[in-house]
Amino acid sequence: MPPSFYKVSDSSEISKINWRDYFNDPILSGLIDTALVNNHDLNIAIQKIEIARAGVTNAKASLIPQVNAGTNGGIRRFGRYTMDGAGNIATEMTPGRIVPINLPDIFLGFQASWEIDLWKKLKSKQKSAINQFLASAEGAKGVTASLVSDIATSYYELLALDHELEIIQQTIQRQKDALETIKLKKETGRTNELAVQQFQAQLLNTQAIEKELLQQIVEFENRINFLLGRFPQKVERVKEILLADVPSQIKTGLPSQLLENRPDIREAELLLEASKFDLKSAKAAFLPSMNLVAGLGFQAFKPEFLFLAPASITYQALGGLMTPLINRNALKANFSYAKANQLSAMHHYQKSILTGYTEVMNQLSALENLKNLHVLKKEQNSVLNTSVDMSTELFSTGRASYLEVLLAQQNSLQAKFELINVNKRQHIAAVNLYKALGGGW
């Protein structure tokens, strides 16, 4: 990886700062706290951890013998012209009673089986399950980081809409006053009906923008409520937060620290590790497997004889070494799948590293450029505010046309919107950078 980010090389980094301290907004922190409890995607991710934990337990269980207790019963009839039938027809089971043709069979006891892990096949499966469990935990951290980022981004979008709505409402009031003024000028013969219509059209357009903003505010409030796992309601906020300065310099740390801090990179690394053990297990499946089977209990043909020890005690112990022959094509297919899966996991890991570095670079560049853009837009906004006052004054003395007044007002309104948008983008870039560096998780 490159030795540094964007011309700077910091040993410290914001990714180790808790998100509460980073955002430093109690209202936003309260919203995030609610989401961390109620968000459905996060709760799904947590359940995936439990699913992976069960997989680890299951893999561990395959390494130890399985012992079952139970009972079973049945009845057998030997064919007359068979070895068993010919032998049993003259054999006494008890004095004076030969083996019946229909022979009951009752068993009560324990049965055990155990596959000896000669080639670490089962151990590899266990290690794969452990890595998948750890990967699911990192995946949940990634979901959490994305959730925090989504809420913060939507929150700043909502604050920007509040500012735009305030600007529009102030503009509407000024345009109403201007319309009344232009009507008076028309009555005194100082202007014509066309000017009145132009001012009125501008007012109607601004009122239409107000309605669109109100709808967007509702939609962003509902988006935040959805992320919080609750039904639509008013989202508490203080719009002045948007005008707070973004830190001029943010400590990014070193690119190599992304490997430790980004949940998606750690998740990809653990899945790559799991794929390695899957491949080992697939290789071991080609080798002979040894199974031990044992049983101990009571067996008789009538219940009253079942516990007459030692005559009714039965036991068995079997061991076998089996090598796959006919089904090797299935094993080869499984091996090919595991090998391709490992290569896929490797490429995914490399992609996640490149993605992480690129995201950090993009947001660092955005913060620097937006900082410079903010200075220019602030100056432009000041100039255009002055031009509105000047055009209005010149129009009142007949030295400017109404079109110049309308143009000045329109340019000023656009500049105010653009300044608010730059403020919003600065805050969102800071949020995205925090997430790109690991999100404090």
Side-chain angles (χ1 to χ4, degrees):
M1 297 182 70
S4 64
F5 288 120
Y6 204 70
K7 312 173 192 174
V8 294
S9 180
D10 301 318
S11 57
S12 59
E13 50 192 314
I14 61 169
S15 60
K16 294 183 179 179
I17 300 175
N18 185 276
W19 58 267
R20 296 178 189 278
D21 300 324
Y22 183 74
F23 293 123
N24 196 25
D25 181 351
I27 296 177
L28 179 56
S29 296
L31 295 174
I32 294 173
D33 280 331
T34 302
L36 293 179
V37 176
N38 299 331
N39 182 263
H40 296 298
D41 289 332
L42 182 57
N43 288 331
I44 290 172
I46 292 173
Q47 292 310 308
K48 287 182 179 179
I49 297 177
E50 297 305 315
I51 293 171
R53 191 194 306 274
V56 173
T57 303
N58 183 56
K60 286 182 178 179
S62 65
L63 290 168
I64 60 177
Q66 297 184 22
V67 180
N68 301 309
T71 181
N72 55 66
I75 189 167
R76 291 181 291 175
R77 185 186 188 282
F78 297 106
R80 173 69 179 82
Y81 302 105
T82 64
M83 183 182 295
D84 290 326
N88 291 339
I89 196 170
T91 301
E92 290 187 343
M93 183 170 285
T94 57
R97 182 175 179 181
I98 62 174
V99 176
I101 295 176
N102 297 309
L103 178 65
D105 187 19
I106 303 172
F107 174 81
L108 177 64
F110 302 94
Q111 293 178 329
S113 62
W114 183 26
E115 180 180 354
I116 298 178
D117 195 19
L118 293 175
W119 318 110
K120 306 299 182 183
K121 177 179 68 176
L122 301 178
K123 190 68 175 178
S124 293
K125 287 183 177 180
Q126 179 191 6
K127 290 181 178 180
S128 173
I130 291 173
N131 279 281
Q132 289 179 19
F133 164 68
L134 296 174
S136 66
E138 295 299 335
K141 292 178 182 178
V143 172
T144 304
S146 295
L147 176 61
V148 171
S149 173
D150 288 346
I151 292 174
T153 298
S154 298
Y155 181 72
Y156 290 126
E157 291 274 7
L158 189 57
L159 295 184
L161 289 172
D162 286 341
H163 279 281
E164 290 178 5
L165 181 62
E166 182 182 36
I167 292 170
I168 281 293
Q169 289 174 342
Q170 292 173 352
T171 302
I172 288 173
Q173 186 57 52
R174 285 197 298 270
Q175 289 178 351
K176 285 181 178 179
D177 295 340
L179 179 60
E180 293 301 319
T181 301
I182 204 70
K183 285 181 179 179
L184 291 174
K185 287 181 176 293
K186 181 203 167 190
E187 292 176 0
T188 59
R190 297 173 61 187
T191 188
N192 53 39
E193 180 64 22
L194 179 59
V196 175
Q197 292 177 353
Q198 289 292 330
F199 273 85
Q200 188 171 9
Q202 185 188 53
L203 174 60
L204 292 171
N205 180 67
T206 308
Q207 289 174 329
I209 295 174
E210 179 189 25
K211 302 306 178 185
E212 292 179 358
L213 288 174
L214 289 172
Q215 177 59 27
Q216 291 180 39
I217 288 173
V218 170
E219 291 177 0
F220 269 96
E221 281 187 323
N222 289 342
R223 180 180 179 185
I224 292 175
N225 285 318
F226 178 79
L227 293 173
L228 268 57
R230 68 188 189 187
F231 287 99
Q233 56 187 273
K234 185 71 175 178
V235 174
E236 182 185 0
R237 57 195 183 272
V238 178
K239 66 178 184 295
E240 284 71 25
I241 293 293
L242 187 71
L243 304 180
D245 292 333
V246 176
S248 57
Q249 185 178 5
I250 298 179
K251 300 293 185 181
T252 59
L254 304 175
S256 59
Q257 292 170 326
L258 290 179
L259 303 179
E260 301 174 0
N261 297 334
R262 277 187 63 120
D264 60 330
I265 295 180
R266 292 201 303 268
E267 180 185 16
E269 181 183 4
L270 289 165
L271 289 176
L272 176 59
E273 190 75 7
S275 71
K276 178 182 73 174
F277 290 112
D278 287 335
L279 186 60
K280 285 185 177 181
S281 178
K283 279 185 179 180
F286 288 96
L287 303 174
S289 61
M290 177 175 286
N291 291 276
L292 300 180
V293 179
L296 175 64
F298 299 96
Q299 190 171 17
F301 72 97
K302 279 190 175 182
E304 56 263 32
F305 298 142
L306 192 60
F307 298 106
L308 293 181
S312 61
I313 292 178
T314 180
Y315 60 85
Q316 64 172 340
L318 300 173
L321 191 65
M322 305 294 291
T323 300
L325 293 176
I326 303 299
N327 65 336
R328 290 183 71 87
N329 284 337
L331 296 177
K332 289 178 181 177
N334 188 46
F335 175 75
S336 297
Y337 171 83
K339 184 167 62 173
N341 185 59
Q342 185 185 39
L343 291 173
S344 175
M346 180 191 69
H347 292 306
H348 178 67
Y349 175 58
Q350 293 173 334
K351 176 185 174 183
S352 65
I353 294 174
L354 182 59
T355 299
Y357 182 83
T358 303
E359 287 179 354
V360 173
M361 288 292 293
N362 286 342
Q363 299 310 318
L364 284 173
S365 176
L367 279 173
E368 180 175 339
N369 289 323
L370 286 171
K371 178 183 176 182
N372 297 329
L373 181 60
H374 183 267
V375 174
L376 295 174
K377 287 296 178 181
K378 196 170 183 180
E379 185 177 353
Q380 179 193 25
N381 197 66
S382 176
V383 171
L384 289 174
N385 282 337
T386 303
S387 73
V388 170
D389 296 336
M390 187 176 297
S391 64
T392 303
E393 182 179 348
L394 291 174
F395 178 69
S396 65
T397 59
R399 290 182 292 169
S401 68
Y402 68 88
L403 291 176
E404 291 175 305
V405 176
L406 292 175
L407 182 61
Q409 291 178 349
Q410 188 64 34
N411 289 339
S412 177
L413 178 61
Q414 184 65 31
K416 289 177 180 178
F417 275 14
E418 290 175 356
L419 181 59
I420 291 299
N421 184 57
V422 171
N423 275 284
K424 176 190 72 177
R425 290 170 61 192
Q426 282 184 301
H427 283 280
I428 291 177
V431 171
N432 290 338
L433 178 60
Y434 184 61
K435 177 190 174 184
L437 290 169
W441 297 97

